[in-house]
Amino acid sequence: MLDANLKQQLQNYLGNLKTPIELVASLGDDAKSAETKELLDEIASQSNKVTVVEGGTNARKPSFDIRRADDHSASVTFAGLPLGHEFTSLVLALLWAGGHPPKVDADVIEQIRNLDGQFDFEMYFSLSCHNCPDVVQALTLMAIYNPNVTATLIEGGTYKDEVEKHDVMAVPAVYLNGEPFANGRMDVKEILAKVDTGASARAAEKLAAKDAFEVLVIGGGPAGASAAIYTARKGFSTGIAAQRFGGQVMDTMGIENFISVDYTEGPKLAAALENHVAQYDIDVMNLQNASKFVPATQKGGLHEVLFDNGASLKARSVIITTGARWRQLGVPGEEEYKNKGVAYCPHCDGPLYKGKRVGVIGGGNSGVEAAIDLANIVGHVTLIEFDSQLRADSVLVDKLKSFANVEIVTSAQTTEVTGDGKKMNGLVYKDRDSGEERKVDLDGVFVQIGLVPNSEWLKDSGIDLSDRGEVKIDERGATNLPGVFAAGDVTTVPYKQIVIAMGEGSKAALSAFDYIIRTEPAEEIAAAAQAA
């Protein structure tokens, strides 16, 4: 089950166990149960503090509980094998159940312990989903540190009947107390914000108590991280306020053009950014969604950013790096069947369509890469492109055309997503050459048609935006307002790439530095005038 290298790593990790743990197995006579028993035995063989207990009573077979031997309430349940992307989650569950402290803030653990009520979570994941581990690990942490929280983490490939019964068409899919709770990547702080009714007010109170920053970065993606590092290195008091640290990089799988790194994955890069930022005195304020920008009334004054929770922050200079999000089709049926056949992440949700017919909308690099990935999993892929030809790199187009189960349709405008009320069953497109409408029967569709800048909060702020909503900047990353800069995918800079965003973030930071050292604070000017 585990190769020699993984066994050695596991043995090293399990050396950190503080207290004994038990693996309580609920098994049947099937092959999956035999594999589960083999995995549990191999884990137990790596530490004398791990014991396998057979005869578990869970109705899901195979499944197993990881629990502290002296406190059975500190436990989490896996149904199916947590391998692939979830092997790390399995290791962390073993360590946390065994008393090894998690690498999260102490106030997060305290917030988990203070949750009031009963929270029974069920979550479906796939082994190829790179968004799922964050959710698996968050629910595991909550179940181990609060006896009123239970977490059953279900591998969809093993429990296909449940997946079909619940019409799960996108993972991670989380249910709370039997009702749908959330879809998509979430970390523990995001889940706590949804279940802890007082979390928003407490976060707002913390923000309100902060002094003004010299530089405030809005957005925590590659551009925001690089901007904050550069200003912090200049000795400026720096804050990052981000809706989600890592930004859209968290939803990116394979990255092969990040110079000097042959290959990495979005979540790994985001973690590296977070670790780098942590090396400096940077105040990171996550889960903060900016709602309004109020510019300073005079040069050298304090700009103000308001947030959804009612709090605000002030700074002498602001760097806007709020990035962009996936563009939606904007056609009838898309919103109705989102996560019910309409999806945006082929890596996460592709395995749910094994052997089925799916569509991909978009002929750029993202769309063609998605179609290539899906062609290896599903029965058939129909790629639909608005333009008369695919716009992806030729090497990708050539690879796509090598698949026998791929059909490419160009000059096609998608006009509707159809369904039966519960899930989508196809789409309608118009042939742009003939004007004829055609229907394609599909079990799912992946939308890959580009990005929309996250700039709605800047409306009526005085900051110049392009017709597409991008923040207009000059060659220094400066906007039309003194002391306000921008970088990355939210701006008018062409070529939305990670490496470009990082460079633009650094440039905007250096421009902010230059602005601050050359601009006397307005309050000091006012004080001097009053004294005279």
Side-chain angles (χ1 to χ4, degrees), residues 54-371:
E54 296 192 52
T57 58
N58 195 313
R60 290 187 178 93
K61 294 180 173 60
S63 65
F64 62 95
D65 303 335
I66 301 175
R67 72 187 186 190
R68 196 166 297 159
D70 60 356
D71 180 7
H72 292 178
S73 67
S75 68
V76 63
T77 301
F78 284 93
L81 291 173
L83 298 176
H85 280 295
E86 296 302 341
F87 184 71
T88 298
S89 302
L90 171 61
V91 172
L92 290 174
L94 296 168
L95 292 176
W96 294 340
H100 185 69
K103 293 182 179 179
V104 298
D105 296 337
D107 58 349
V108 172
I109 298 299
E110 189 65 19
Q111 187 178 2
I112 292 172
R113 285 176 168 150
N114 291 335
L115 280 177
D116 186 25
Q118 184 66 39
F119 302 91
D120 297 318
F121 288 100
E122 291 181 323
M123 178 244 178
Y124 293 89
F125 64 89
S126 72
L127 297 181
S128 63
C129 171
H130 63 279
N131 285 328
C132 293
D134 277 2
V135 185
V136 169
Q137 291 163 28
L139 295 178
T140 296
L141 194 66
M142 292 172 66
I144 287 174
Y145 278 89
N146 188 323
N148 295 320
V149 177
T150 67
T152 302
L153 310 169
I154 306 160
E155 193 273 299
T158 301
Y159 290 92
K160 293 180 180 179
D161 54 339
E162 289 189 35
V163 168
E164 293 180 2
K165 176 183 176 181
H166 291 295
D167 287 327
V168 174
M169 305 186 77
V171 290
V174 183
Y175 291 77
L176 173 59
N177 299 333
E179 298 295 327
F181 175 73
N183 279 88
R185 176 193 292 274
M186 300 177 73
D187 62 20
V188 66
K189 291 182 180 179
E190 291 174 286
I191 295 174
L192 286 171
K194 286 175 69 72
V195 299
D196 184 353
T197 55
S200 179
R202 290 195 300 272
E205 187 177 349
K206 282 185 178 181
L207 288 191
K210 294 182 183 293
D211 294 332
F213 294 95
E214 289 178 288
V215 178
L216 177 62
V217 180
I218 307 298
S226 62
I229 288 170
Y230 264 69
T231 59
R233 285 176 60 85
K234 293 295 186 181
F236 289 162
S237 62
T238 301
I240 295 178
Q243 186 177 37
R244 179 180 63 160
F245 193 92
Q248 195 181 5
V249 165
M250 296 289 284
D251 301 323
T252 304
M253 191 54 179
I255 300 172
E256 298 178 318
N257 56 353
F258 188 64
I259 310 305
S260 83
V261 179
D262 292 342
Y263 176 85
T264 188
E265 296 173 354
K268 292 181 180 179
L269 179 57
L273 290 174
E274 190 168 14
N275 289 336
H276 197 173
V277 166
Q279 304 305 310
Y280 298 90
D281 186 16
I282 297 171
D283 189 347
V284 179
M285 297 156 281
N286 212 3
L287 304 184
Q288 302 302 325
N289 190 43
S291 59
K292 187 177 181 180
F293 180 80
V294 182
T297 56
Q298 57 185 310
K299 188 175 182 179
L302 294 175
H303 303 285
E304 185 176 17
V305 178
L306 280 62
F307 298 90
D308 281 350
N309 58 17
S312 68
L313 295 170
K314 294 182 178 181
R316 289 186 63 195
S317 181
V318 172
I319 303 176
I320 299 165
T321 64
T322 44
R325 62 188 181 275
W326 290 116
R327 183 183 299 277
Q328 294 184 291
L329 291 166
V331 301
E334 179 183 22
E335 193 64 32
E336 180 182 356
Y337 294 110
K338 188 180 293 183
N339 297 323
K340 298 176 183 178
V342 177
Y344 302 86
C345 179
H347 302 291
C348 304
D349 303 330
L352 298 174
Y353 296 89
K354 185 176 181 179
K356 297 182 179 181
R357 298 181 63 87
V358 303
V360 174
I361 300 178
N365 282 352
S366 296
V368 172
E369 286 175 351

Side-chain angles (χ1 to χ4, degrees), residues 331-404:
V331 301
E334 179 183 22
E335 193 64 32
E336 180 182 356
Y337 294 110
K338 188 180 293 183
N339 297 323
K340 298 176 183 178
V342 177
Y344 302 86
C345 179
H347 302 291
C348 304
D349 303 330
L352 298 174
Y353 296 89
K354 185 176 181 179
K356 297 182 179 181
R357 298 181 63 87
V358 303
V360 174
I361 300 178
N365 282 352
S366 296
V368 172
E369 286 175 351
I372 291 170
D373 290 341
L374 291 165
N376 288 299
I377 302 170
V378 304
H380 187 272
V381 179
T382 302
L383 186 144
I384 297 175
E385 164 57 26
F386 182 86
D387 205 347
S388 60
Q389 60 184 3
L390 301 184
R391 294 167 287 107
D393 296 342
S394 59
V395 64
L396 294 174
V397 174
D398 291 342
K399 186 172 182 179
L400 179 66
K401 290 180 177 178
S402 70
F403 288 93

